Amino acid sequence: MIILGIDPGTAVTGYGVIEAGPGARVRLIECGVVRTPARDPLPARLRAIRDGMVELFERHHPDAVAVEDVFYGKNLRTTVVLAHARGVILLTAEEAGVPIGEYPPALVKKAVVGRGGAAKPQVGYMVAQLLRLTAPPSPADAADGVAVALAHHILAGGAAARARRGQVA
């Protein structure tokens, strides 16, 4: 199963593509970021994010997409702009007909690191450990995208296993 994990942002959108094989085998296929020019108006930035997502979908044909939810910070405007980026990403996945999983940042951190309040360096470190990489993916936004994909694999995989055993989620 190919999983595309996305950490949305209007300036930098991080992504990670993993392949989850039978059992616990997981390997990193690709990770990186989609950057948008800071001086561009929001509609142009959203178009750049969409173009980047379409390219990823065409290149990897993911079986699932995992997107980090918006978290409310101190700046409401930043939260609203981030929601625009998420909307473009969700629409692109829906148009591609790919199932979507959405996860709050704390749940992603808990799934990958073991605690919801983990710092970015801890997330990068655990991503590297889980995928047997020599170093965390760089930049940190790319590591976050990989973490979202891993969280989907861990969380959705656990739910699927419980369903196969006839247990309630």
Side-chain angles (χ1 to χ4, degrees):
M1 168 180 256
I2 304 295
I3 303 168
L4 170 59
I6 303 170
D7 176 31
T10 52
V12 180
T13 292
Y15 68 87
V17 183
I18 63 171
E19 180 178 28
R25 283 193 344 208
V26 179
R27 74 178 180 94
L28 178 65
I29 295 174
E30 177 185 344
C31 66
V33 295
V34 174
R35 294 187 190 276
T36 64
R39 295 180 188 252
D40 281 3
L42 181 60
R45 294 175 97 173
L46 295 175
R47 175 62 179 234
I49 292 166
R50 184 178 195 291
D51 291 348
M53 292 299 109
V54 167
E55 183 180 313
L56 286 169
F57 279 92
E58 289 174 352
R59 189 163 61 239
H60 296 290
H61 305 285
D63 299 300
V65 175
V67 183
E68 192 169 81
D69 276 342
V70 173
F71 67 94
Y72 177 73
K74 293 178 183 172
N75 187 332
L76 180 59
R77 184 183 188 301
T78 302
T79 304
V80 170
V81 171
L82 177 59
H84 288 11
R86 280 191 81 251
V88 165
I89 292 163
L90 294 173
L91 176 61
T92 305
E94 179 65 22
E95 288 176 337
V98 179
I100 303 164
E102 298 177 63
Y103 302 96
L107 185 57
V108 170
K109 291 174 182 179
K110 185 170 175 104
V112 174
V113 179
R115 60 185 204 85
K120 274 191 180 279
Q122 291 172 309
V123 173
Y125 174 80
M126 283 308 298
V127 164
Q129 294 301 304
L130 291 168
L131 294 172
R132 296 175 189 86
L133 306 174
T134 57
S138 181
D141 295 294
D144 290 346
V146 177
V148 175
L150 285 168
H152 180 78
H153 170 64
I154 292 165
L155 298 168
R162 284 191 301 277
R164 283 192 302 274
R165 290 192 306 265
Q167 299 172 346
V168 178

